[in-house]
Amino acid sequence: MTVPLDETTARSWLAIALEEARAGLAEGGIPIGGALVGADGRVLGRGHNRRVQDDDPSVHGETDAFRNAGRQASYRGTTMVTTLSPCWYCSGLVRQFGISRLVVGEARTFYGGHDWLVENGVEVVVLDDPECVQMMEDFIAAHPGLWNEDIGEHVHSEQEAGR
């Protein structure tokens, strides 16, 4: 049975992802955190963006939480919780493994693929959490180059320039 998702539950799960985002920031990384929650409401895995710390561009907050959850027989009924709207890479992870729900802390500083997930049957809740927004705004202002690298803006700029 899948735990019903009300705002109180969603915010309690987001608190876990926020702890992870703060941990990533304290390590000198990008402050995006995630958690994968089982259908029964138990946290299966939690993690944060570790691109800088591990020198690995594939370790986003969602993928770190997913990896830390370990192998699951099925992801039906699970919820991915993230402090920031997921990029296409992380949206693909949710879709690929059939994760049923997505809780997004905020989508103001980056609007990722969560609409596409809705179109493909994933239940999505965007909380527009002020702490998530402030953390990302502060980070982007302090580290614009690193942020552009994280969201692939340098790649898109070079492609548009014909490089």
Side-chain angles (χ1 to χ4, degrees):
M1 176 179 175
T2 303
V3 171
L5 187 60
D6 57 26
E7 187 168 346
T8 301
T9 302
R11 289 197 179 276
S12 72
W13 293 345
L14 180 62
I16 296 162
L18 267 164
E19 286 176 17
E20 289 293 328
R22 285 186 219 104
L25 184 61
E27 295 169 357
I30 298 162
I32 302 170
L36 184 64
V37 179
D40 61 359
R42 185 173 51 91
V43 176
L44 301 172
R46 52 191 290 165
H48 52 273
N49 186 304
R50 301 190 53 79
R51 293 180 75 250
V52 173
Q53 300 92 312
D54 293 356
D55 195 29
D56 181 346
S58 70
V59 188
H60 292 202
E62 300 89 340
T63 59
D64 195 37
F66 182 78
R67 289 172 179 168
N68 289 332
R71 222 170 107 207
Q72 306 295 313
S74 171
Y75 295 88
R76 180 173 296 141
T78 61
T79 303
M80 179 61 75
V81 183
T82 179
T83 56
L84 184 65
S85 179
C87 68
W88 286 112
Y89 170 60
C90 294
S91 295
L93 178 137
V94 169
R95 182 84 172 96
Q96 173 71 28
F97 289 94
I99 294 170
S100 300
R101 296 189 296 207
L102 175 70
V103 173
V104 176
E106 68 103 347
R108 284 193 219 174
T109 59
F110 179 79
Y111 202 98
H114 65 269
D115 286 342
W116 174 74
L117 290 170
V118 169
E119 292 168 9
N120 285 281
V122 176
E123 178 187 350
V124 175
V125 175
V126 179
L127 295 173
D128 196 29
D129 182 80
E131 184 178 353
C132 291
V133 173
Q134 191 65 58
M135 188 181 320
M136 286 311 302
E137 285 178 346
D138 292 349
F139 180 80
I140 292 166
H143 306 283
L146 185 55
W147 173 243
N148 285 331
E149 175 191 323
D150 192 61
I151 61 173
E153 281 302 311
H154 294 305
V155 172
H156 296 295
S157 298
E158 289 173 6
Q159 288 171 346
E160 289 165 9
R163 295 181 199 160

